[in-house]
Amino acid sequence: MPQSDSLGKGALRATAIAWLITSIYYFYQYVMRSAPAVMMPELSDAFGLTAVGLTSLVGLFYYGYAPFSLVAGVALDQLGPRRVVPLGAALVAVGAFLFASGDPTLASIGRFIQGAGGVFALIGAAYIATTNFPASRAATLIGATQMFGMAGGSAGQFLVGPAISAGLHWRQFWLLMGVAGVVVAALLVVFMPRREAKARSAGSHEGWARAAAVAIATVFRNPQSILCGLISGLMFIPTTIFDMVWGVRFLQEAHDMPYGLAVMRSAAVPFGWIIGCPLLGMLSDRIGRRKPVILGAAVVLLLCLVLILYVSPGVLPPFSLGLVAGIASGAAMLPYTVIKEANRPEHSGTSTGVVNFINFSFSALLGPVFAGLLMRASAGGERDVADYRAAFQPLVWGVGLAIVLTLLLRETGSAKRPVVAHAT
């Protein structure tokens, strides 16, 4: 159960500050997640890699992010945020410094570490929010957390792109990100509340490991957990794979758009998330239902993808499609609330870890697949709009599948009781 009623004003204020800094940490790691999209030519030259090779290197972020979602979730449940969240931020900083080395091997390790450390931001912020504040604000707070992340995603394109064009060397950028990570980790150490997860410290190592394994197994055995992960993943990959990796190049190569304008158009998608995540979360909390919001947003996202792939960008007002697509895909965060409501309260962190693991496994596994499809469609030569349509059409079918799966999801909002459905 949320602990907000038992917290004094001072403790609640300290918890709110901790949530805010953790959300800033999420902003920071999202800048690093999305920034490679605006410096692909520079990175390709520096590392001596083809477009497919560089995409695979950049995608290592998700190979760290996805499996460490489970580690982060159970660690938060067993140890509490103070012991693990600052460590995650420090890992991201180390990853940034390694990426700045210019060595492909060290950069690969660094990118993996960035993902492994970055996952503690979202899961940590969601854990703090849902275990210390009223359940009626769960979707709003998780949406607000994701708002910080997508603000970082937008900044990673909208601000970093012009900076690179103006002469900022890619290596300087990553060195600055490493320094910023050290600062964030220090702030988390100072401001994270000392109150830890209860009844964990007294247990043995074997007891800790067994409790973690039981928690993961319990959440995974709940079919609603799997549905949440699949729906979130299918609605999220248009952002993580299409926009944040190929968005700028798609606009340049398929529509002959200048680099600066392509960066701004691509950044409209994560900017839409800044609006959509808290807005859709508040709407869901207000009506007390999750499914209608997910369904409506998924339909809008599907239509936007069709228009982006098959209609000239000059037909509709500038930035409108990317913005609306970003707003609609913000509903991908609602399954993060559903999975918590569909599992036991003591598995709060583990639930977020499981949905995050399934979600970003899509990005880790499918990133190279889409890159390969694009290379195959273009026969390794210059790419045009037909090549992009052939390669990324499966995204449309994926969102359609998310709509079907949402129909199978059990409603867990406050207007539908009982809220908690235990797995058996």
Side-chain angles (χ1 to χ4, degrees), residues 163-207:
I164 295 294
S165 297
L168 177 67
H169 195 273
W170 70 269
R171 184 171 292 170
Q172 291 177 316
F173 167 79
W174 291 100
L175 289 173
L176 289 172
M177 287 295 98
V179 173
V182 173
V183 173
V184 170
L187 290 173
L188 288 167
V189 169
V190 172
F191 289 100
M192 192 66 68
R194 294 185 178 277
R195 182 170 49 85
E196 302 292 355
K198 297 179 181 179
R200 265 57 172 193
S201 59
S204 64
H205 172 74
E206 292 77 10

Short mmCIF file of all heavy atoms in Angstrom, two decimals, residues 163-207:
data_model
loop_
_atom_site.label_atom_id
_atom_site.label_comp_id
_atom_site.label_asym_id
_atom_site.label_seq_id
_atom_site.Cartn_x
_atom_site.Cartn_y
_atom_site.Cartn_z
N ALA A 163 23.88 21.78 -31.74
CA ALA A 163 25.21 21.95 -31.13
C ALA A 163 26.28 21.24 -31.94
O ALA A 163 27.38 21.77 -32.14
CB ALA A 163 25.18 21.42 -29.69
N ILE A 164 25.97 20.04 -32.42
CA ILE A 164 26.91 19.32 -33.27
C ILE A 164 27.14 20.09 -34.57
O ILE A 164 28.27 20.22 -35.05
CB ILE A 164 26.40 17.89 -33.58
CG1 ILE A 164 26.33 17.06 -32.28
CG2 ILE A 164 27.28 17.20 -34.61
CD1 ILE A 164 27.66 16.76 -31.65
N SER A 165 26.06 20.62 -35.15
CA SER A 165 26.19 21.40 -36.39
C SER A 165 27.02 22.65 -36.18
O SER A 165 27.73 23.11 -37.09
CB SER A 165 24.80 21.78 -36.92
OG SER A 165 24.07 20.63 -37.27
N ALA A 166 26.93 23.22 -34.97
CA ALA A 166 27.65 24.46 -34.66
C ALA A 166 29.13 24.21 -34.32
O ALA A 166 29.88 25.17 -34.11
CB ALA A 166 26.98 25.19 -33.52
N GLY A 167 29.54 22.95 -34.25
CA GLY A 167 30.96 22.69 -34.03
C GLY A 167 31.30 21.89 -32.79
O GLY A 167 32.49 21.61 -32.56
N LEU A 168 30.31 21.54 -31.96
CA LEU A 168 30.60 20.73 -30.78
C LEU A 168 31.04 19.34 -31.25
O LEU A 168 30.32 18.66 -31.97
CB LEU A 168 29.37 20.61 -29.88
CG LEU A 168 29.54 19.71 -28.64
CD1 LEU A 168 30.53 20.32 -27.65
CD2 LEU A 168 28.18 19.47 -27.96
N HIS A 169 32.23 18.93 -30.85
CA HIS A 169 32.74 17.63 -31.25
C HIS A 169 31.98 16.54 -30.50
O HIS A 169 31.64 16.68 -29.32
CB HIS A 169 34.23 17.52 -30.94
CG HIS A 169 34.91 16.38 -31.62
ND1 HIS A 169 34.96 15.11 -31.08
CD2 HIS A 169 35.57 16.31 -32.81
CE1 HIS A 169 35.61 14.30 -31.89
NE2 HIS A 169 36.01 15.01 -32.96
N TRP A 170 31.69 15.43 -31.18
CA TRP A 170 30.91 14.36 -30.57
C TRP A 170 31.58 13.85 -29.29
O TRP A 170 30.90 13.52 -28.31
CB TRP A 170 30.71 13.21 -31.56
CG TRP A 170 31.95 12.43 -31.87
CD1 TRP A 170 32.84 12.64 -32.88
CD2 TRP A 170 32.44 11.30 -31.13
NE1 TRP A 170 33.87 11.73 -32.82
CE2 TRP A 170 33.65 10.88 -31.77
CE3 TRP A 170 32.00 10.60 -30.01
CZ2 TRP A 170 34.39 9.80 -31.31
CZ3 TRP A 170 32.74 9.53 -29.55
CH2 TRP A 170 33.92 9.13 -30.20
N ARG A 171 32.92 13.81 -29.28
CA ARG A 171 33.63 13.31 -28.09
C ARG A 171 33.46 14.26 -26.91
O ARG A 171 33.31 13.82 -25.76
CB ARG A 171 35.10 13.12 -28.42
CG ARG A 171 35.92 12.50 -27.30
CD ARG A 171 37.32 12.15 -27.78
NE ARG A 171 37.28 11.06 -28.74
CZ ARG A 171 38.33 10.68 -29.46
NH1 ARG A 171 39.48 11.31 -29.34
NH2 ARG A 171 38.23 9.67 -30.30
N GLN A 172 33.47 15.55 -27.17
CA GLN A 172 33.25 16.53 -26.10
C GLN A 172 31.88 16.34 -25.49
O GLN A 172 31.71 16.44 -24.26
CB GLN A 172 33.40 17.95 -26.65
CG GLN A 172 34.82 18.33 -27.04
CD GLN A 172 34.86 19.73 -27.64
OE1 GLN A 172 34.03 20.10 -28.47
NE2 GLN A 172 35.84 20.52 -27.22
N PHE A 173 30.89 16.08 -26.33
CA PHE A 173 29.54 15.86 -25.82
C PHE A 173 29.51 14.71 -24.82
O PHE A 173 28.95 14.82 -23.72
CB PHE A 173 28.58 15.58 -26.98
CG PHE A 173 27.25 15.04 -26.53
CD1 PHE A 173 26.28 15.89 -26.02
CD2 PHE A 173 26.96 13.67 -26.59
CE1 PHE A 173 25.05 15.40 -25.58
CE2 PHE A 173 25.74 13.18 -26.16
CZ PHE A 173 24.79 14.04 -25.66
N TRP A 174 30.13 13.58 -25.17
CA TRP A 174 30.07 12.42 -24.29
C TRP A 174 30.89 12.62 -23.02
O TRP A 174 30.52 12.11 -21.95
CB TRP A 174 30.53 11.18 -25.05
CG TRP A 174 29.53 10.79 -26.10
CD1 TRP A 174 29.58 11.06 -27.43
CD2 TRP A 174 28.28 10.12 -25.87
NE1 TRP A 174 28.45 10.59 -28.06
CE2 TRP A 174 27.64 10.00 -27.13
CE3 TRP A 174 27.65 9.60 -24.75
CZ2 TRP A 174 26.40 9.39 -27.28
CZ3 TRP A 174 26.42 8.98 -24.90
CH2 TRP A 174 25.81 8.88 -26.14
N LEU A 175 31.97 13.39 -23.11
CA LEU A 175 32.72 13.71 -21.90
C LEU A 175 31.89 14.57 -20.95
O LEU A 175 31.88 14.36 -19.73
CB LEU A 175 34.03 14.43 -22.26
CG LEU A 175 35.11 13.57 -22.91
CD1 LEU A 175 36.27 14.45 -23.37
CD2 LEU A 175 35.61 12.50 -21.94
N LEU A 176 31.16 15.54 -21.51
CA LEU A 176 30.27 16.37 -20.70
C LEU A 176 29.17 15.54 -20.05
O LEU A 176 28.81 15.76 -18.89
CB LEU A 176 29.67 17.48 -21.57
CG LEU A 176 30.62 18.58 -22.02
CD1 LEU A 176 29.93 19.50 -23.03
CD2 LEU A 176 31.10 19.40 -20.82
N MET A 177 28.67 14.58 -20.79
CA MET A 177 27.64 13.70 -20.23
C MET A 177 28.19 12.86 -19.08
O MET A 177 27.50 12.60 -18.09
CB MET A 177 27.09 12.78 -21.33
CG MET A 177 26.19 13.46 -22.33
SD MET A 177 24.63 14.09 -21.61
CE MET A 177 25.06 15.82 -21.37
N GLY A 178 29.44 12.45 -19.18
CA GLY A 178 30.06 11.71 -18.09
C GLY A 178 30.16 12.54 -16.83
O GLY A 178 29.84 12.08 -15.72
N VAL A 179 30.58 13.79 -16.98
CA VAL A 179 30.67 14.69 -15.82
C VAL A 179 29.29 14.92 -15.22
O VAL A 179 29.11 14.91 -13.99
CB VAL A 179 31.31 16.03 -16.25
CG1 VAL A 179 31.25 17.04 -15.10
CG2 VAL A 179 32.76 15.81 -16.69
N ALA A 180 28.28 15.12 -16.09
CA ALA A 180 26.92 15.34 -15.59
C ALA A 180 26.43 14.13 -14.81
O ALA A 180 25.74 14.27 -13.78
CB ALA A 180 25.99 15.62 -16.77
N GLY A 181 26.81 12.93 -15.25
CA GLY A 181 26.39 11.73 -14.53
C GLY A 181 26.99 11.64 -13.14
O GLY A 181 26.32 11.20 -12.19
N VAL A 182 28.22 12.08 -12.99
CA VAL A 182 28.85 12.10 -11.67
C VAL A 182 28.10 13.05 -10.74
O VAL A 182 27.85 12.73 -9.57
CB VAL A 182 30.33 12.51 -11.78
CG1 VAL A 182 30.94 12.71 -10.40
CG2 VAL A 182 31.12 11.47 -12.56
N VAL A 183 27.70 14.19 -11.26
CA VAL A 183 26.95 15.18 -10.46
C VAL A 183 25.60 14.60 -10.04
O VAL A 183 25.19 14.72 -8.88
CB VAL A 183 26.77 16.48 -11.26
CG1 VAL A 183 25.85 17.44 -10.50
CG2 VAL A 183 28.12 17.13 -11.53
N VAL A 184 24.90 13.97 -10.98
CA VAL A 184 23.59 13.39 -10.66
C VAL A 184 23.72 12.31 -9.60
O VAL A 184 22.92 12.25 -8.65
CB VAL A 184 22.94 12.81 -11.94
CG1 VAL A 184 21.70 11.99 -11.60
CG2 VAL A 184 22.56 13.94 -12.90
N ALA A 185 24.73 11.46 -9.72
CA ALA A 185 24.93 10.40 -8.73
C ALA A 185 25.19 10.99 -7.34
O ALA A 185 24.66 10.49 -6.33
CB ALA A 185 26.10 9.50 -9.15
N ALA A 186 25.97 12.06 -7.29
CA ALA A 186 26.25 12.70 -6.00
C ALA A 186 24.98 13.28 -5.39
O ALA A 186 24.74 13.15 -4.17
CB ALA A 186 27.30 13.79 -6.19
N LEU A 187 24.15 13.92 -6.20
CA LEU A 187 22.89 14.48 -5.70
C LEU A 187 21.97 13.39 -5.17
O LEU A 187 21.30 13.57 -4.14
CB LEU A 187 22.20 15.27 -6.80
CG LEU A 187 22.86 16.59 -7.22
CD1 LEU A 187 22.15 17.18 -8.43
CD2 LEU A 187 22.82 17.58 -6.06
N LEU A 188 21.95 12.26 -5.86
CA LEU A 188 21.11 11.15 -5.40
C LEU A 188 21.58 10.61 -4.05
O LEU A 188 20.78 10.26 -3.18
CB LEU A 188 21.11 10.04 -6.45
CG LEU A 188 20.32 10.33 -7.73
CD1 LEU A 188 20.66 9.32 -8.81
CD2 LEU A 188 18.83 10.34 -7.45
N VAL A 189 22.89 10.54 -3.86
CA VAL A 189 23.42 10.08 -2.58
C VAL A 189 23.00 11.03 -1.45
O VAL A 189 22.63 10.60 -0.36
CB VAL A 189 24.96 9.98 -2.64
CG1 VAL A 189 25.54 9.76 -1.25
CG2 VAL A 189 25.38 8.84 -3.57
N VAL A 190 23.03 12.32 -1.75
CA VAL A 190 22.73 13.32 -0.72
C VAL A 190 21.24 13.35 -0.38
O VAL A 190 20.86 13.42 0.79
CB VAL A 190 23.20 14.71 -1.18
CG1 VAL A 190 22.71 15.79 -0.21
CG2 VAL A 190 24.73 14.75 -1.28
N PHE A 191 20.37 13.28 -1.39
CA PHE A 191 18.95 13.55 -1.18
C PHE A 191 18.06 12.32 -1.11
O PHE A 191 16.90 12.45 -0.72
CB PHE A 191 18.42 14.47 -2.29
CG PHE A 191 18.94 15.88 -2.19
CD1 PHE A 191 19.99 16.31 -2.99
CD2 PHE A 191 18.39 16.77 -1.28
CE1 PHE A 191 20.48 17.59 -2.91
CE2 PHE A 191 18.87 18.07 -1.18
CZ PHE A 191 19.92 18.48 -2.00
N MET A 192 18.55 11.15 -1.47
CA MET A 192 17.70 9.97 -1.39
C MET A 192 17.43 9.63 0.08
O MET A 192 18.35 9.54 0.88
CB MET A 192 18.38 8.78 -2.07
CG MET A 192 17.45 7.59 -2.29
SD MET A 192 16.12 7.91 -3.46
CE MET A 192 17.03 8.06 -5.00
N PRO A 193 16.15 9.47 0.47
CA PRO A 193 15.82 9.16 1.87
C PRO A 193 16.52 7.89 2.35
O PRO A 193 16.75 6.96 1.57
CB PRO A 193 14.30 8.98 1.84
CG PRO A 193 13.85 9.74 0.64
CD PRO A 193 14.95 9.61 -0.36
N ARG A 194 16.85 7.87 3.63
CA ARG A 194 17.55 6.72 4.19
C ARG A 194 16.63 5.55 4.47
O ARG A 194 17.10 4.44 4.70
CB ARG A 194 18.25 7.12 5.50
CG ARG A 194 19.37 8.12 5.27
CD ARG A 194 20.13 8.41 6.56
NE ARG A 194 21.22 9.33 6.31
CZ ARG A 194 22.42 8.97 5.85
NH1 ARG A 194 22.65 7.70 5.61
NH2 ARG A 194 23.36 9.87 5.63
N ARG A 195 15.33 5.80 4.50
CA ARG A 195 14.39 4.71 4.78
C ARG A 195 14.48 3.66 3.68
O ARG A 195 14.34 3.96 2.50
CB ARG A 195 12.97 5.27 4.86
CG ARG A 195 11.91 4.25 5.19
CD ARG A 195 10.59 4.97 5.47
NE ARG A 195 10.31 5.94 4.42
CZ ARG A 195 9.71 5.65 3.27
NH1 ARG A 195 9.36 4.41 3.02
NH2 ARG A 195 9.46 6.58 2.37
N GLU A 196 14.70 2.41 4.06
CA GLU A 196 14.91 1.35 3.09
C GLU A 196 13.74 0.38 3.08
O GLU A 196 12.83 0.45 3.90
CB GLU A 196 16.21 0.57 3.42
CG GLU A 196 17.43 1.45 3.45
CD GLU A 196 17.80 1.99 2.08
OE1 GLU A 196 17.16 1.60 1.08
OE2 GLU A 196 18.72 2.82 2.00
N ALA A 197 13.80 -0.57 2.16
CA ALA A 197 12.78 -1.60 2.09
C ALA A 197 12.75 -2.37 3.41
O ALA A 197 13.78 -2.70 3.99
CB ALA A 197 13.07 -2.57 0.95
N LYS A 198 11.56 -2.67 3.90
CA LYS A 198 11.42 -3.31 5.20
C LYS A 198 11.63 -4.81 5.12
O LYS A 198 11.36 -5.45 4.12
CB LYS A 198 10.02 -3.04 5.76
CG LYS A 198 9.76 -1.55 6.01
CD LYS A 198 8.36 -1.34 6.53
CE LYS A 198 8.08 0.15 6.78
NZ LYS A 198 6.71 0.38 7.27
N ALA A 199 12.11 -5.35 6.23
CA ALA A 199 12.20 -6.80 6.42
C ALA A 199 13.12 -7.49 5.42
O ALA A 199 13.03 -8.67 5.20
CB ALA A 199 10.82 -7.43 6.36
N ARG A 200 14.04 -6.73 4.81
CA ARG A 200 14.98 -7.35 3.88
C ARG A 200 16.36 -7.51 4.49
O ARG A 200 17.04 -8.48 4.26
CB ARG A 200 15.09 -6.50 2.61
CG ARG A 200 14.22 -6.90 1.43
CD ARG A 200 12.78 -6.95 1.72
NE ARG A 200 11.97 -7.15 0.54
CZ ARG A 200 10.67 -6.97 0.54
NH1 ARG A 200 10.04 -6.58 1.64
NH2 ARG A 200 9.95 -7.19 -0.54
N SER A 201 16.77 -6.46 5.24
CA SER A 201 18.15 -6.45 5.73
C SER A 201 18.43 -7.58 6.71
O SER A 201 19.56 -8.02 6.84
CB SER A 201 18.45 -5.10 6.40
OG SER A 201 17.55 -4.89 7.48
N ALA A 202 17.42 -8.07 7.40
CA ALA A 202 17.65 -9.12 8.38
C ALA A 202 17.83 -10.48 7.74
O ALA A 202 18.33 -11.41 8.35
CB ALA A 202 16.46 -9.17 9.36
N GLY A 203 17.42 -10.65 6.49
CA GLY A 203 17.49 -11.93 5.83
C GLY A 203 18.89 -12.26 5.37
O GLY A 203 19.74 -11.41 5.18
N SER A 204 19.15 -13.53 5.15
CA SER A 204 20.44 -13.97 4.64
C SER A 204 20.51 -13.72 3.15
O SER A 204 19.54 -13.36 2.50
CB SER A 204 20.61 -15.47 4.91
OG SER A 204 19.63 -16.20 4.19
N HIS A 205 21.73 -13.94 2.60
CA HIS A 205 21.90 -13.80 1.15
C HIS A 205 20.98 -14.78 0.41
O HIS A 205 20.37 -14.45 -0.59
CB HIS A 205 23.35 -14.07 0.77
CG HIS A 205 23.58 -14.13 -0.71
ND1 HIS A 205 23.56 -13.01 -1.51
CD2 HIS A 205 23.79 -15.20 -1.53
CE1 HIS A 205 23.78 -13.37 -2.77
NE2 HIS A 205 23.92 -14.68 -2.81
N GLU A 206 20.89 -16.02 0.95
CA GLU A 206 20.04 -17.01 0.33
C GLU A 206 18.58 -16.58 0.37
O GLU A 206 17.83 -16.77 -0.60
CB GLU A 206 20.21 -18.37 1.02
CG GLU A 206 21.57 -19.02 0.81
CD GLU A 206 22.66 -18.40 1.67
OE1 GLU A 206 22.34 -17.59 2.56
OE2 GLU A 206 23.84 -18.73 1.46
N GLY A 207 18.16 -16.00 1.50
CA GLY A 207 16.79 -15.54 1.63
C GLY A 207 16.48 -14.41 0.67
O GLY A 207 15.41 -14.36 0.07
#
